[in-house]
Structures are given as C-alpha cells and as structure tokens.
Amino acid sequence: MRVFVAGGTGVVGRRLVPQLVARGHRVTATTRDPGRSRLLERLGAEAVVMDGLDAVSVGEAVAAARPDAIVHQMTAISPANAGGEPDFKHMDRWFAMTNRLRTEGTDHLLAAAEATGVSTFVAQSYASWNGVREGGWVKTEEDPLDTHAGTSQYPVSAAIRHLEAAVLQAGGAVLRFGGLYGPGATDDQAELVRRRKFPLVGDGAGYASWLHLDDAASATVLAVERRAKGVFNIVDDEPAPAREWLPYLAEVVGGKPPMRVPKWLARMVAGEVAVLMMTEGRGFSNAKAKRELGWRPRYPTWRQGFREGLA
C-alpha cells in the first residue's frame, strides 16, 4: 500500500515508518522542519515538508503522494512547550499546539482524504488515565472518556473528542494509545522521577495504562493493513495504580522511592489534573484490539517494558 504518515518525525512516527517499510509498504512521511527530511529518508520514507495547520499545504502533500491510506500522528507534545519539563498544572498551555493539530489538523487531513478518495484513515488518540471517573477502574471502548470539565485538562479532552468524532464519522479508525514510553517519549518524566520531583499523591489509587512506542507502531500497522474502522484501546495488558507503577519506575531509572504528598499540597503545586490522575484515574482494556486486530504487544506489561524498553 501507499501510506501517508502525517507526523513522521514524532516519537511514534520514527518507529512506525520503518515497520511499514519492512512490511513492503511505500511510505510518504511528513515533517514541519525541512532539516529533518534526511531522518525520514534514512528510515525508508519519501520525505515531505508539510504544515498540518495549513489546509493548502496538507491538501497538496496528500494529492502528490496519492496514498491508499493516511495515518495521523501529528502532535506537538514537547518539554519545550512546558518551559523545559511537563506542566501538569497548565495542561491547556502545554498541549495548546497539539490541541490545534487534533482539531484543525484532523479536519485538514480528512478533507484531503475525501478530495483524493482515500478511505483508510487511522488516527492517534489517547487512553491512559482519562477514562470516565465512575464505576470500575478499567474501561473498554464502550465507556466514555472523561471530559475533565472545570480543569486545565478540559481543552485537551475536548480536542480528543473532536478528533475521534470526526474520524469515526468519516469511517476511519481511532487508536487510543496508552501513556507512551520509550526512547524520546518519557525522558523528561523519567528525569523528574529520578530527581524525586514526581511524587506519589494521596493514596496513589488512580489507574493508568501504558504502551511502548514499538507497540503503538505495530498496532498502527495492523490497523492500516486491515483497513480498520472504529475505536481501539491500544494499551498493555496491565493497567495499574500509581502506587505500583511509580515506585517501580523510580527503581528502574535509578532513583529513590518517590515522596508522598497529600492531595491538598499536590493541588497547590501541580494542579488539579495531577491529583485526579494519581488518585482517580481509570485505565483501559486492550481486549478489543487483540480480538479484532490480532494485535499482541511486544511489552505486555510496563514491568517488563520499563526495565527493557526505556533505553
């Protein structure tokens, strides 16, 4: 197949392009930075400079590539956007550009797909700790995502809802990735953990689901090849509370056990979202992806993945 990867130089894109090429697909991958075109070429793709927020740029790039499938991996989640490290207190600021790529960028890609007759469309979404905060601790695709109304997470959640609704209406597939880890994806957070600046909040009962970059890429390849439609949680086999995964991560990265702080103090320092994540977060089940896509994660648990797959 001819596959168009929008966002080829991101942490997932850099893992996805070689997997697609290895399976015999012809890949066109995009970057906003002309200086990173060489990277895409080394990975085996034809590189295209594209501005995902410019409808004309997107339309021209897709038309020239004549793809059979479009993959939306455009984000701008970078420590630089948070003043050098993750900013959970101001999620709206940290994710401002990503929110635009998930709304405007999605709309531009879908318009280009319609104009060129591309019916296979796969987009990255998110499912780590953001399941609706009621009922059980582990959610399926049938459960709604939390809106996080009244918090700085609300614009982020709204952008995710926009992406999912638009892609599903167009007959595409939404892959809800768990919390991504691996080279380049969690370096900043691991450093915070190592320096004991990532504390355990309250009872640490909030659940999260994790996903290695290689597993995100392999699920995307399957979704493209099977021309998947609908929503899929792409997470590992072991959703777990913060009180389990955070101390383990600290051990793996060579840090001391995380400090414990009460909710009121964490709320003052890190904001409401950090408290919700650590104490009320809901993880996700991958049963549908295994059943319908035939997907099996290389790292079935973060216990193995943190130890073997962070470097």
Side-chain angles (χ1 to χ4, degrees):
M1 298 171 66
R2 294 190 302 272
V3 184
F4 184 92
V5 178
T9 57
V11 291
V12 176
R14 294 197 301 269
R15 299 290 177 133
L16 173 61
V17 169
Q19 288 195 29
L20 287 167
V21 171
R23 292 176 69 90
H25 302 296
R26 178 179 174 182
V27 180
T28 299
T30 77
T31 176
R32 288 171 292 176
D33 181 1
R36 306 191 80 182
S37 295
R38 281 286 185 88
L39 168 62
L40 292 175
E41 292 169 356
R42 288 197 299 270
L43 295 176
E46 179 180 345
V48 174
V49 177
M50 184 187 84
D51 179 357
L53 298 178
D54 183 325
V56 174
S57 178
V58 174
E60 291 177 345
V62 172
R66 297 182 298 108
D68 302 303
I70 294 175
V71 179
H72 179 0
Q73 297 287 349
M74 296 188 299
T75 65
I77 306 169
S78 164
N81 296 330
E85 60 185 34
D87 188 356
F88 294 102
K89 192 170 186 178
H90 305 103
M91 297 289 284
D92 49 346
R93 299 181 196 172
W94 183 16
F95 278 77
M97 184 59 72
T98 293
N99 292 344
R100 292 189 63 194
L101 290 168
R102 285 174 171 165
T103 52
E104 299 168 47
T106 299
D107 292 346
H108 296 333
L109 281 171
L110 287 171
E114 182 178 13
T116 53
V118 178
S119 59
T120 300
F121 193 102
V122 179
Q124 174 194 143
S125 187
Y126 182 69
S128 176
W129 58 274
N130 53 320
V132 63
R133 287 173 290 135
E134 58 185 39
W137 291 100
V138 180
K139 303 301 181 182
T140 72
E141 290 82 355
E142 301 301 316
D143 296 301
L145 299 178
D146 202 313
T147 66
H148 298 103
T151 75
S152 64
Q153 175 71 12
Y154 178 76
V156 183
S157 299
I160 290 171
R161 292 197 305 275
H162 176 97
L163 178 149
E164 293 195 355
V167 172
L168 293 177
Q169 183 176 7
V174 170
L175 304 187
R176 292 176 173 170
F177 291 163
L180 291 169
Y181 67 92
T186 43
D187 299 351
D188 50 355
Q189 294 182 51
E191 182 60 24
L192 290 178
V193 171
R194 188 178 295 111
R195 292 157 51 195
R196 300 193 85 193
K197 294 182 66 176
F198 199 127
L200 193 61
V201 178
D203 60 3
Y207 270 59
S209 287
W210 291 94
L211 181 70
H212 191 275
L213 295 171
D214 287 339
D215 290 326
S218 68
T220 304
V221 171
L222 287 173
V224 168
E225 293 180 345
R226 299 192 176 210
R227 301 184 184 276
K229 300 179 184 297
V231 179
F232 299 87
N233 296 333
I234 307 300
V235 298
D236 73 14
D237 295 347
E238 190 182 358
R243 61 181 174 235
E244 292 185 17
W245 64 258
L246 183 54
Y248 186 85
L249 177 59
E251 176 189 339
V252 167
V253 300
K256 296 180 179 179
M259 293 186 291
R260 286 182 175 269
V261 300
K263 288 193 288 185
W264 66 266
L265 179 57
R267 191 172 286 112
M268 289 179 58
V269 175
E272 182 67 23
V273 176
V275 175
L276 295 178
M277 185 186 309
M278 285 280 192
T279 62
E280 299 183 44
R282 262 55 171 181
F284 294 84
S285 164
N286 63 16
K288 181 181 178 183
K290 287 184 171 182
R291 183 178 65 250
E292 297 189 15
L293 297 180
W295 176 69
R296 295 294 184 272
R298 175 183 176 187
Y299 298 98
T301 168
W302 47 270
R303 298 177 194 276
Q304 175 193 358
F306 286 176
R307 193 165 292 280
E308 299 177 9
L310 280 177

